[in-house]
Amino acid sequence: MFDNLFKSKEEAEKNFNDYKNKMFPFGETQKDLVSGLLTALISNKAKESEIMFYFLISKEKYIDKGESAIEYLQKYIIKGKLFKKHEANLIISCAILDSKVTSLNEYFTKENILEMASKF
């Protein structure tokens, strides 16, 4: 019953590294690209860590649920009252585009994010 409740330091590190590799298979460079794009697009008082928190939630939900996650994510992000609908759509669009990246050489741009966000 309590087998998974207490994890060893090694298990916790493995879980963290597995998650990090799932979210950023191209490493810190990919994380920095996402962070840079979103902080450039979102001009409210949100901290980078807050933006990245919602990005990670969005990407994980999109990977698990696909297009059906979009409406849920819009409501979830706006409910936090830190982001407006347009900003939520930017975060979600970035997560969708990022989940489809196959190479850092073919990475998306701010314009790609803006274009996708305008369609929601």
Side-chain angles (χ1 to χ4, degrees):
M1 180 174 170
F2 296 106
D3 294 339
N4 291 323
L5 185 59
F6 301 103
K7 296 181 182 178
S8 69
K9 182 179 177 181
E10 293 79 22
E11 280 182 287
E13 284 180 18
K14 183 187 178 316
N15 289 345
F16 174 75
N17 287 329
D18 289 348
Y19 181 77
K20 195 165 78 168
N21 289 333
K22 178 182 176 182
M23 294 296 107
F24 301 108
F26 301 106
E28 288 295 315
T29 302
Q30 181 181 12
K31 180 179 170 262
D32 292 343
L33 285 168
V34 167
S35 179
L37 287 167
L38 285 174
T39 54
L41 287 168
I42 297 174
S43 59
N44 74 11
K45 60 186 174 208
K47 297 175 189 169
E48 179 183 352
S49 60
E50 295 166 323
I51 295 169
M52 292 303 290
F53 172 77
Y54 284 104
F55 167 81
L56 290 170
I57 290 171
S58 298
K59 185 172 179 181
E60 187 170 20
K61 284 285 182 200
Y62 183 79
I63 289 171
D64 293 345
K65 305 279 185 188
E67 298 286 324
S68 65
I70 294 172
E71 187 176 335
Y72 165 81
L73 288 167
Q74 287 172 323
K75 290 177 184 174
Y76 180 79
I77 294 170
I78 294 167
K79 186 177 178 180
K81 298 183 181 178
L82 187 58
F83 301 103
K84 296 178 180 154
K85 185 175 181 178
H86 173 71
E87 295 164 331
N89 290 340
L90 292 171
I91 293 169
I92 296 165
S93 297
C94 185
I96 292 169
L97 291 168
D98 190 69
S99 70
K100 297 177 180 182
V101 167
T102 58
S103 164
L104 289 179
N105 295 330
E106 300 172 11
Y107 214 71
F108 54 92
T109 64
K110 287 192 290 187
E111 290 74 24
N112 300 130
I113 297 170
L114 288 166
E115 180 183 339
M116 180 178 276
S118 71
K119 295 177 183 176
F120 292 144

